[in-house]
Amino acid sequence: SAVISQKPSRDICQRGTSLTIQCQVDSQVTMMFWYRQQPGQSLTLIATANQGSEATYESGFVIDKFPISRPNLTFSTLTVSNMSPEDSSIYLCSEGPPGRYRTFGSGTRLTVV
Amino acid sequence: QKEVEQNSGPLSVPEGAIASLNCTYSDRGSQSFFWYRQYSGKSPELIMSIYSNGDKEDGRFTAQLNKASQYVSLLIRDSQPSDSATYLCAVNNGRTGNQFYFGTGTSLTVIP
C-alpha cells in the first residue's frame, strides 16, 4: 500500500479563517478520500477526489466550505474555509483501490478558537 | 439504524487472554470488511480484511465473517499491552462499492 504524508499535523486557528491541508502520496493513485473524525466519533467521508475532475462530496458537505484540489495523481489538498469551533476535528486523507482497503495519512488535528 | 454498529466498550482483558471484538452491519450488499487499529492520537491502521464467509487468520488476529447474520468479528489471541487501542470496523457500501462505512470503534485495554 502507498505511504501518505499529511501536513500540518496539527493547528490552532482563529474562527473565520481558512486552513489548507496537504497530502502527498509516494505513488500514483487514482482516488483519494478525505475524512473527518470528530472527538469520540468514527470517520465520516467528506469527499472523493479524482485527478482531473471535481471532487464528489457526501451529503452534508459542500464545496464552498471544503474545497478540494487534485492537481495530479500523487497530491491533494483540502481547505477548511471560514472556520468555526464546530470544525474542530481530525482530518484524514486516504487512498485505496475501489472496494478494497484504505490507507490513511497521519491526520491533521484542527482546533478552532 | 447505523450502517455499522460496534460496542464502544471499554473492553478490558488481561495480558495473554483472547480479546473478542464484534461488529454488525446493515447493508446486505456489502462485500468487503475491514478491521482497523487506531492508537490514541494516531490515524487508523489496517490490520485485517475479509471478503468471504468464514475465518481468516493472520498471526494473533482472526477475522470472522457471517454475511447471513451480517456480523463480523475480530479475535486477538495472546493479547499484549501493545494491543491496547481503539478498533474500528469498516464495511464497504454494497451499491457503490467504493464508499466505506466505519463504526465508532471499540476501545480495548490489555492489562499487564
Side-chain angles (χ1 to χ4, degrees):
Chain A
S1 60
V3 175
I4 306 175
S5 299
Q6 183 173 346
K7 60 181 181 181
S9 58
R10 60 178 62 230
D11 207 341
I12 300 173
C13 300
Q14 297 291 323
R15 67 176 66 200
T17 63
S18 298
L19 175 72
T20 295
I21 302 167
Q22 300 180 5
C23 278
Q24 179 76 50
V25 190
D26 68 348
S27 60
Q28 293 185 340
V29 297
T30 303
M31 305 178 80
M32 292 186 70
F33 309 90
W34 288 95
Y35 289 87
R36 181 174 73 183
Q37 187 175 30
Q38 295 180 307
Q41 303 297 313
S42 188
L43 282 72
T44 301
L45 181 64
I46 297 172
T48 301
N50 291 324
Q51 192 267 335
S53 62
E54 281 200 5
T56 303
Y57 289 82
E58 298 300 312
S59 176
F61 298 96
V62 295
I63 187 171
D64 290 346
K65 176 67 176 178
F66 297 101
I68 288 171
S69 76
R70 185 80 203 277
N72 57 53
L73 291 174
T74 64
F75 189 79
S76 181
T77 67
L78 169 77
T79 299
V80 186
S81 303
N82 189 24
M83 288 183 285
S84 66
E86 291 71 34
D87 295 320
S88 297
S89 187
I90 297 172
Y91 292 85
L92 294 151
C93 62
S94 174
E95 70 86 20
R100 296 301 188 179
Y101 59 84
R102 292 283 179 269
T103 300
F104 291 90
S106 53
T108 296
R109 183 179 296 271
L110 171 62
T111 302
V112 183
V113 297
Chain B
Q1 181 187 9
K2 294 182 178 179
E3 289 87 358
V4 179
E5 303 254 17
Q6 292 181 255
N7 187 328
S8 62
L11 173 66
S12 295
V13 300
E15 183 174 355
I18 296 175
S20 177
L21 306 166
N22 304 315
C23 171
T24 58
Y25 60 95
S26 61
D27 185 348
R28 285 195 169 274
S30 296
Q31 296 295 322
S32 305
F33 308 86
F34 308 90
W35 283 100
Y36 286 83
R37 178 175 61 200
Q38 187 173 24
Y39 292 114
S40 180
K42 302 295 185 182
S43 61
E45 170 193 12
L46 179 68
I47 54 172
M48 288 291 286
S49 59
I50 186 166
Y51 304 104
S52 56
N53 279 328
D55 295 0
K56 179 182 178 182
E57 185 174 319
D58 184 0
R60 296 186 296 111
F61 298 98
T62 298
Q64 300 174 317
L65 174 63
N66 184 325
K67 291 184 180 179
S69 299
Q70 296 175 248
Y71 176 90
V72 59
S73 66
L74 179 71
L75 300 178
I76 306 174
R77 291 181 301 280
D78 188 23
S79 295
Q80 301 296 310
S82 59
D83 296 325
S84 298
T86 296
Y87 289 81
L88 303 174
C89 173
V91 174
N92 83 318
N93 180 314
R95 181 177 58 84
T96 67
N98 207 32
Q99 183 181 10
F100 281 26
Y101 303 120
F102 285 85
T104 54
T106 298
S107 175
L108 172 67
T109 300
V110 179
I111 303 168

